Amino acid sequence: MTGSPLTTPVVFLLGPVPVTLPVVVTWGLMAAMALGSALAARRLRVERPGPVQTVLELVVETLRRQIAETMQTDATPFLPLLGTLFLYLAIANLSGLVPGLKAPTASLETAAALALVVLLSSQALGIRRRGLWAYLKGFAHPTPLLLPLNLLSELTRAFSLSIRLFGNVMSGEFVIAIVLSLAGLFVPVPLMALELLLGLVQAYIFTVLAAVFIGGAVGTIERG
Amino acid sequence: MHIDGWTILLQAVNFLILVWLLRRFLYRPVLAVIAERQAVTEQVRTEAEAARQAAETARRDLEAQRTALPAERDRLIAAARAEAEAERTALLEKARTEADRALEESRGRLAEEREQALAALRRQAAELGAALAARLLRDAPADVLTRPLLDEALAAVEGLSDARRHALANGVAPVPVHVVAANSLPAEDATRAGDRLAAALGRPVALDVVEDSSLIAGVELHFAHSVVRRSWKQTLAEAKEEMTRHDSARVDADAVA
């Protein structure tokens, strides 16, 4: 890694649209996740499930339970969004440990895109669940004087989401790259193990915060 | 630092597509299987609960039956005891009645046999007394005993009404009179008898004297249609009959009492 960690290399141009490396890696991860899910969920059985099916059910049920505990409501309607968010973040964060790959979440655009999706999703779900007027009135709670601050906090929360994710993943990879260039092949291994843990922790934090934001928007929990 | 808007847009679209893909290929089938398994589990649990309820009901029924068994047993024992007591009482009453009846029959039979024995003894005593009297009278002088009886028989004829005496005469003369005496009548006695009969009947009498020692003592005057008896044979027979009749009357009186 010789370039700046803050730059996003363009792989190719699709007309006027530059397709950067995070986008390409994301496509690969999307294909792997979709294909893997389709294959794993191909022969699901009610009785005597196999090991793969058991793992799938364990992952899905754990996600649903965790989201339900966070949002204090039935998690099934929110499972595709938040579950996919966690799985993508975990896999994307860990993909940086694969030699030759760079985690898509180490780019600010990817983190910003995910934060933007969470921001827009929370607004859309809040309006759909509570109605436009009631949802907008929530920004003037507990007093209309706090309306500008509440609106600002919506944006800053999404911003902090993206920056937190980007900073942690990017810094981890950057530190590993520096140590690797200075100390040799096996010295960064402990740091990579730490990065493995940090990647999962960041995925968890991002997902839980997203669940909190959406829960606050739909009114199942207090708006943070 | 440069932030590429296209990358943000593409990554956002990529993520939404990934949401749709995982929803289609992961969440929906896995959640369906979990829901189906939960339904099956719930059904099994419901069936198990129903079976448990049935078992609990059966256990309660058994418990109730087990609780009711002593009471039912006591009731049956009490009923059996009451029935046995009633049957025992009935049997005792029946036995007592039969015993009383048998005792009464025995008493009656004993009384009857006793009366029969007493009657037989009395008869035998009367016959023995009559035989004894006959034996004693047979040793006595016959003419001494016969004469008063002859006079008594003649007095009886004389004491009859005129119509009876006329009937004894039967319209014939002399009137045949068959005199049966226990011993041979002395001539003066026969004459005196003929005279008194002729006087009583108002016409002559033809006496025919016959001896019959069975009379013991006394006479019998046989007319055409009547007999006047004055003899110890008759007296003893009357006494024996009277004794027997008195015994029968006393037995009847005892029976009535």
Side-chain angles (χ1 to χ4, degrees):
Chain A
M1 180 177 287
T2 55
S4 169
L6 300 179
T7 59
T8 305
V10 177
V11 179
F12 60 90
L13 288 172
L14 197 62
V17 179
V19 177
T20 56
L21 183 60
V23 174
V24 175
V25 175
T26 297
W27 283 346
L29 294 179
M30 287 171 58
M33 291 173 68
L35 190 61
S37 297
L39 290 176
R42 190 176 46 181
R43 292 174 185 167
L44 299 178
R45 292 176 297 185
V46 175
E47 295 181 353
R48 304 180 67 179
V52 176
Q53 181 180 345
T54 302
V55 171
L56 278 184
E57 292 184 10
L58 179 66
V59 169
V60 171
E61 196 57 36
T62 303
L63 286 172
R64 186 165 66 166
R65 187 170 60 247
Q66 191 65 46
I67 295 169
E69 288 178 0
T70 303
M71 296 182 66
Q72 301 293 314
T73 184
D74 179 24
T76 304
F78 310 102
L79 181 62
L81 176 65
L82 296 174
T84 304
L85 188 61
F86 176 80
L87 292 177
Y88 172 72
L89 284 172
I91 293 174
N93 291 343
L94 299 182
S95 66
L97 300 176
V98 178
L101 282 183
K102 184 184 179 190
T105 46
S107 71
L108 186 57
E109 288 86 352
T110 303
L114 296 178
L116 184 64
V117 168
V118 170
L119 175 65
L120 296 179
S121 298
S122 63
Q123 309 308 316
L125 291 170
I127 292 171
R128 192 172 74 176
R129 180 67 65 94
R130 301 167 63 181
L132 178 61
W133 180 242
Y135 179 73
L136 292 178
K137 262 187 14 177
F139 287 107
H141 184 77
T143 169
L145 294 176
L146 293 177
L147 179 63
L149 290 177
N150 286 334
L151 290 175
L152 185 61
S153 97
E154 287 290 312
L155 299 176
T156 54
R157 284 191 314 189
F159 183 72
S160 70
L161 264 183
S162 61
I163 293 300
R164 181 188 299 109
L165 178 64
F166 164 69
N168 280 281
V169 178
M170 181 273 294
S171 62
E173 287 196 351
F174 195 59
V175 168
I176 290 172
I178 291 173
V179 172
L180 183 63
S181 62
L182 293 178
L185 184 60
F186 295 106
V187 176
V189 169
L191 292 176
M192 293 177 72
L194 182 62
E195 181 63 18
L196 183 73
L197 179 63
L198 283 176
L200 294 175
V201 169
Q202 287 305 314
Y204 177 77
I205 290 173
F206 196 102
T207 306
V208 167
L209 288 175
V212 170
F213 295 160
I214 294 174
V218 299
T220 57
I221 57 176
E222 190 68 26
R223 185 191 293 269
Chain B
M1 180 177 177
H2 171 72
I3 296 177
D4 185 11
W6 285 109
T7 301
I8 293 175
L9 183 62
L10 283 176
Q11 287 293 71
V13 172
N14 285 340
F15 179 75
L16 293 178
I17 293 172
L18 182 62
V19 168
W20 180 85
L21 287 173
L22 291 189
R23 182 182 182 185
R24 170 74 177 77
F25 294 112
L26 179 64
Y27 300 119
R28 188 176 294 172
V30 171
L31 288 177
V33 165
I34 291 174
E36 192 173 354
R37 183 179 297 114
Q38 285 179 340
V40 171
T41 305
E42 182 65 21
Q43 182 181 359
V44 171
R45 197 193 65 78
T46 304
E47 292 175 356
E49 180 65 19
R52 194 191 66 77
Q53 292 285 348
E56 180 68 16
T57 304
R59 190 190 66 76
R60 286 179 182 169
D61 291 345
L62 282 177
E63 184 69 20
Q65 289 178 0
R66 193 180 66 78
T67 306
L69 272 181
E72 180 67 14
R73 184 196 61 196
D74 293 344
R75 192 185 64 76
L76 288 176
I77 288 174
R81 281 180 178 164
E83 188 177 355
E85 183 65 24
E87 190 172 356
R88 188 179 72 86
T89 304
L91 285 175
L92 282 176
E93 188 62 28
K94 183 180 178 184
R96 187 178 293 113
T97 304
E98 290 182 354
D100 291 345
R101 187 171 55 79
L103 183 61
E104 197 63 31
E105 286 180 355
S106 299
R107 282 176 178 168
R109 192 162 54 247
L110 283 175
E112 185 179 355
E113 289 176 354
R114 183 169 61 88
E115 291 305 325
Q116 288 176 354
L118 283 176
L121 284 175
R122 285 196 183 93
R123 278 196 305 274
Q124 288 181 359
E127 288 174 356
L128 189 59
L132 182 61
R135 176 68 183 84
L136 291 175
L137 291 172
R138 194 171 291 124
D139 292 342
D143 52 342
V144 175
L145 295 174
T146 301
R147 186 170 294 120
L149 294 173
L150 176 62
D151 292 338
E152 190 176 337
L154 294 172
V157 172
E158 290 168 351
L160 293 175
S161 62
D162 293 340
R164 297 286 302 274
R165 287 198 302 271
H166 184 71
L168 288 177
N170 198 23
V172 296
V175 179
V177 178
H178 189 69
V179 179
V180 179
N183 55 302
S184 56
L185 279 179
E188 60 273 23
D189 290 341
T191 304
R192 185 169 46 90
D195 294 343
R196 289 181 64 178
L197 286 173
L201 298 175
R203 56 188 63 189
V205 172
L207 291 180
D208 177 20
V209 178
V210 177
E211 184 178 342
D212 183 1
S213 61
S214 66
L215 295 181
I216 302 172
V219 294
E220 289 180 356
L221 303 178
H222 293 260
F223 297 92
H225 303 292
S226 301
V227 178
V228 177
R229 293 186 175 88
R230 289 296 185 274
S231 66
W232 278 105
K233 176 185 178 183
Q234 181 199 358
T235 304
L236 290 175
E238 288 175 357
K240 181 180 174 183
E241 183 183 355
E242 184 179 359
M243 187 181 292
T244 305
R245 188 168 58 248
H246 287 173
D247 293 339
S248 299
R250 189 164 55 196
V251 168
D252 293 343
D254 292 343
V256 169

